[in-house]
Amino acid sequence: FSNTTRLSSSAQCIACPGGQYCADAGLSAPTGQCQAGFFCTGSATTPTPLDSTGGRCPLGYYCRAGSTQPLGCAPGTYAAVGMQSACTNCPAGYFCPANATGFDTNLCPAGAYCPTLTTSAYQYLCPAGTYSNTIGASAISDCQACPSGQYCAAAGLTQPTGVCSGG
């Protein structure tokens, strides 16, 4: 394409830029943006390229309209199917690292709790004085208070540390 008049050579024409497509020859401007769920690296002739000029957004990534490349899902989000224009928030009880393609294999471990958007298994530990032997806990309220006569010395415990000594 070219928005300049009086060109004397095809070499003076401009290749369609990344994130956009040029559907026809002889254009004075790109036809439009690449479609959401797809990316266009440059010289695309369709908003949904499936060749060397672009492609579908893969699992664990998203592509807004006009994307030049797939963008990885941020920690705490996931994209379980391709061609997404946005990533989905990781649900409570699970954690999602960067570029996650799902959440169901990332169940929050015992000793921790995972509210929505949790990024790693032990991001939120049950505090000292509490414990949790529950897998998939989603809130600090899922951490149990250490029972009478016992103590919980550290954060992230799955059971009380011990019994209080007499005296």
Side-chain angles (χ1 to χ4, degrees):
F1 81 96
S2 178
N3 60 0
T4 305
T5 59
R6 299 183 185 211
L7 298 181
S8 60
S9 163
S10 63
Q12 293 174 303
C13 296
I14 302 168
C16 206
Q20 299 182 8
Y21 73 100
C22 298
D24 298 305
L27 296 173
S28 60
T31 307
Q33 289 188 328
C34 203
Q35 183 175 308
F38 289 82
F39 63 97
C40 298
T41 58
S43 300
T45 58
T46 172
T48 56
L50 297 174
D51 55 22
S52 63
T53 66
R56 294 181 180 104
C57 223
L59 302 179
Y61 293 80
Y62 69 100
C63 298
R64 293 186 181 121
S67 291
T68 59
Q69 63 184 1
L71 301 169
C73 288
T77 67
Y78 70 97
V81 295
M83 298 174 48
Q84 295 300 298
S85 60
C87 298
T88 304
N89 289 344
C90 197
Y94 297 87
F95 65 94
C96 297
N99 304 334
T101 59
F103 64 88
D104 46 347
T105 59
N106 297 331
L107 199 57
C108 199
Y113 61 97
C114 298
T116 302
L117 296 170
T118 298
T119 63
S120 63
Y122 297 101
Q123 182 176 355
Y124 300 100
L125 297 176
C126 288
T130 69
Y131 73 98
S132 175
N133 56 11
T134 302
I135 295 172
S138 60
I140 195 167
S141 59
D142 293 327
C143 300
Q144 301 172 352
C146 216
S148 297
Q150 297 183 24
Y151 65 98
C152 297
L157 295 177
T158 60
Q159 62 187 14
T161 305
V163 178
C164 294
S165 56

